[in-house]
Amino acid sequence: MIFLKTEDEIELLRQSNLLVGRTLAEVAKLIRPGVTTVELDRVAEEFIRDNGAVPTFKGFPNPNGGSFPCTLCTSVNDQVVHGIPSERILQEGDIVSVDCGVLMNGFCGDSAYTFRVGEVSPEVEELLKKTKESLYLGIQQAVHGKRVGDIGYVIQESCESSGYGVVREFVGHGIGHEMHEDPQVPNYGRRGTGPLLKSGMCLAIEPMITMGGRQVYLENDGWSVRTRDGKCAAHFEHTVAVRQGKADILSSFEFIEEVLGDKAI
Ligand code: MG
Ligand code: MG
C-alpha cells in the first residue's frame, strides 16, 4: 500500500531528512585517515539524540534474527551497504559510505553519502562521481505521471553504459512513518513500467554501484554486504517527494559539502 503524504507531512519528513543531512555533516568533519568507524557512529548517535530524534537503524530487526547494533551503516571499500561500525581504522585511499536514518515527530529521514578518506585513486573518484550523478538522474524522473521503472531505467542506463555494476539485491523504497514503505524503488528497470508516481509519494532513491561485477554476498556478521570481486562500491541516497514537474529533494548534501569544501564529490 502506497501512502500519499499531505503538505504538512512532507514538511515533517523534510525536517527529519535535514537532520540526517546535518548528522552526516558532523560525520564528515571527522572522516580522515586514523579514525575508526565506531567513533563516527558515537558522534552521530549523540548528535541525533541531542536534536530530539532517534536513530532508526539501531535495533532494526534482521530477518535472520538479531537487530542492527548501531546508528550508522559504515561500508568501507568493497562493502556496499549495511556495514557495522567497528574498531576498523580508516586508511588513506579508502572510501566509506555512511548511511543514516532518524525518526523525529513521527517521520523518518534516510540519506547516504560516500566519502573519500584522504586521496583516492582517479578510478575510485570516478565511481563516486558517477554514482552521485546517477542519483540525480533518478531524482529527475521522480515526477507525477512517471513510473517507478523510469527511475531505475536512467540509473541503470547511466551506470552500466560507463561499465559499472548496478546492485540488484537492495533497492530504494517509500518512506514516511516507517523507514521502509511501498513501493520498492530498484536501481534498474524498464521505462514506463512499475507503479505510477503521484504527487505526495515520498521515496528514498539510493543507487548502489560497483566498479566491477554487480554480484554481492552477505558477510558472516549477517549485515554487511560486500562485492564478490572485492572491488569498491559507492552509495548515495536522497529522500524526495514526488511533485508535478520536478521532484522536491527533502534530504540535503549541502551541510556535508560545506564541510568538505573543494573535497566534495
Ligand atoms: Mg539509507
Ligand atoms: Mg534507504
Side-chain angles (χ1 to χ4, degrees):
M1 168 122 194
I2 299 174
F3 300 104
L4 300 181
K5 277 75 179 181
T6 65
E7 287 303 319
D8 286 349
E9 289 172 328
I10 289 172
E11 286 317 305
L12 289 171
L13 272 162
R14 192 190 312 277
Q15 293 312 314
S16 299
N17 276 284
L18 290 177
L19 177 59
V20 172
R22 287 166 53 218
T23 305
L24 290 172
E26 292 301 307
V27 170
K29 289 177 187 170
L30 301 173
I31 291 180
R32 57 180 156 71
V35 74
T36 62
T37 50
V38 78
E39 173 67 6
L40 306 179
D41 191 70
R42 191 188 63 72
V43 166
E45 177 167 7
E46 192 176 299
F47 187 79
I48 290 166
R49 294 194 190 278
D50 283 352
N51 280 278
V54 290
T56 39
F57 298 173
K58 197 163 195 171
F60 194 84
N62 187 316
N64 301 316
S67 63
F68 195 77
C70 294
T71 290
L72 299 176
C73 293
T74 54
S75 306
V76 181
N77 296 342
D78 60 327
Q79 291 180 325
V80 184
V81 285
H82 305 163
I84 303 175
S86 71
E87 297 297 333
R88 179 174 184 161
I89 298 169
L90 295 178
Q91 313 281 339
E92 177 82 27
D94 283 348
I95 53 170
V96 57
S97 300
V98 182
D99 195 349
C100 180
V102 306
L103 178 67
M104 186 169 70
N105 301 317
F107 286 91
C108 289
D110 188 9
S111 180
Y113 197 93
T114 301
F115 296 91
R116 295 181 280 189
V117 182
E119 293 297 315
V120 304
S121 71
E123 295 77 21
V124 168
E125 185 165 332
E126 195 53 36
L127 168 73
L128 303 192
K129 281 188 179 152
K130 193 75 203 178
T131 305
K132 188 179 172 195
E133 188 184 297
S134 78
L135 166 61
Y136 285 100
L137 290 173
I139 290 170
Q140 281 176 14
Q141 299 296 312
V143 293
H144 182 89
K146 296 239 182 205
R147 290 185 179 269
V148 167
D150 294 318
I151 298 173
Y153 172 79
V154 293
I155 294 172
Q156 179 182 12
E157 172 63 22
S158 77
C159 292
E160 287 184 350
S161 67
S162 303
Y164 295 110
V166 176
V167 172
R168 303 292 202 273
E169 290 84 347
F170 300 89
V171 296
H173 48 90
I175 182 168
H177 289 304
E178 302 290 331
M179 187 167 60
H180 296 139
E181 296 185 357
D182 289 337
Q184 291 200 341
V185 185
N187 298 302
Y188 57 92
R190 285 187 295 124
R191 274 190 283 209
T193 66
L196 188 61
L197 298 176
K198 294 181 186 164
S199 276
M201 280 174 69
C202 292
L203 306 173
I205 301 176
E206 47 180 317
M208 291 155 247
I209 306 301
T210 66
M211 254 173 91
R214 65 174 172 84
Q215 287 76 23
V216 297
Y217 70 96
L218 188 63
E219 282 187 59
N220 289 335
D221 63 18
W223 285 103
S224 314
V225 175
R226 236 178 234 270
T227 59
R228 219 169 252 294
D229 60 14
K231 293 192 176 167
C232 281
H235 179 212
F236 287 84
E237 175 179 26
H238 268 315
T239 292
V240 307
V242 174
R243 303 276 196 190
Q244 294 273 3
K246 190 169 189 285
D248 185 356
I249 304 178
L250 304 178
S251 48
S252 175
F253 294 156
E254 276 175 34
F255 308 106
I256 299 170
E257 295 185 341
E258 249 169 56
V259 171
L260 296 179
D262 58 8
K263 292 199 174 72
I265 295 303

